[in-house]
Amino acid sequence: MSEYSRWAAGVIAAVVLGTVAGCSKGPQFCDVKGKVLYNGKPLPGGTVQITDEADTQMVFADLNIDGEFRISRAPAGLVRVVVRTESVKTLLDPRTAKMLQRMGVAAAAPDPKEKGNIYVPIPAKYGDRDTTDLKFELKPNQLNELTIELKAAGQDHSRHARGRSN
């Protein structure tokens, strides 16, 4: 084999190896901005969990008083969304906190403007990864905007996902 043939074979091998290496995908991520509505109204407290279909990547975000959330580095691709409100069930509402304070008990209610803290019971199916029917396709390397509409038991729900480049 001539010097040139060996050089050409080496270049071709490098290109093939580079192409094969470039095809192997690791996890892909995206940012998510969204809002959760329950029966048409913002869900004023709770958490949103996004999990990939393989159950290997999971991220959480708290809802604010307007039902909004934001997540960085969420798994891209087909995901399941879980919404839970039980975490705010035991928090004091401002009225109860003031009543306890008047009785001399040290009580404080979280600021609802910073983090949603109003408990609203929602159907249990939305709070479990195995029973939720909230599925979305999140596009990698961009901001995905979601409006997640939950409905009371017996009603259909709808989901909207919209991707937008940063």
Side-chain angles (χ1 to χ4, degrees), residues 62-121:
D62 291 320
L63 295 175
N64 69 16
I65 196 75
D66 297 317
E68 298 168 342
F69 66 94
R70 188 166 187 113
I71 297 175
S72 296
R73 291 195 47 86
L78 186 61
V79 298
R80 290 181 192 235
V81 175
V82 171
V83 179
R84 295 187 181 101
T85 60
E86 294 296 316
S87 62
V88 296
K89 188 175 186 177
T90 59
L91 296 177
L92 294 177
D93 62 272
R95 185 173 166 186
T96 303
K98 284 182 182 179
M99 180 185 73
L100 291 172
Q101 289 168 352
R102 282 192 297 259
M103 295 169 48
V105 176
D111 182 359
K113 297 293 182 200
E114 289 182 26
K115 178 179 170 185
N117 68 348
I118 299 172
Y119 172 68
V120 174

Side-chain angles (χ1 to χ4, degrees), residues 2-25:
S2 73
E3 182 80 24
Y4 177 76
S5 297
R6 279 188 290 230
W7 177 82
V11 169
I12 292 171
V15 169
V16 169
L17 286 174
T19 303
V20 170
C23 291
S24 63
K25 287 185 183 179

Side-chain angles (χ1 to χ4, degrees), residues 33-52:
K33 173 178 141 179
K35 186 168 197 164
V36 179
L37 303 173
Y38 180 56
N39 290 329
K41 297 179 184 174
L43 190 61
T47 58
V48 172
Q49 170 190 323
I50 297 177
T51 308
D52 67 348

Side-chain angles (χ1 to χ4, degrees), residues 30-35 69 135-140 142-149 159-166:
C30 62
D31 293 334
V32 181
K33 173 178 141 179
K35 186 168 197 164
F69 66 94
K135 294 182 182 180
F136 297 92
E137 182 74 32
L138 299 180
K139 296 181 181 176
Q142 66 180 350
L143 177 64
N144 290 264
E145 295 184 32
L146 302 181
T147 299
I148 303 167
E149 295 185 25
R159 305 168 316 234
H160 306 285
R162 187 175 63 224
R164 178 176 83 179
S165 297
N166 286 335

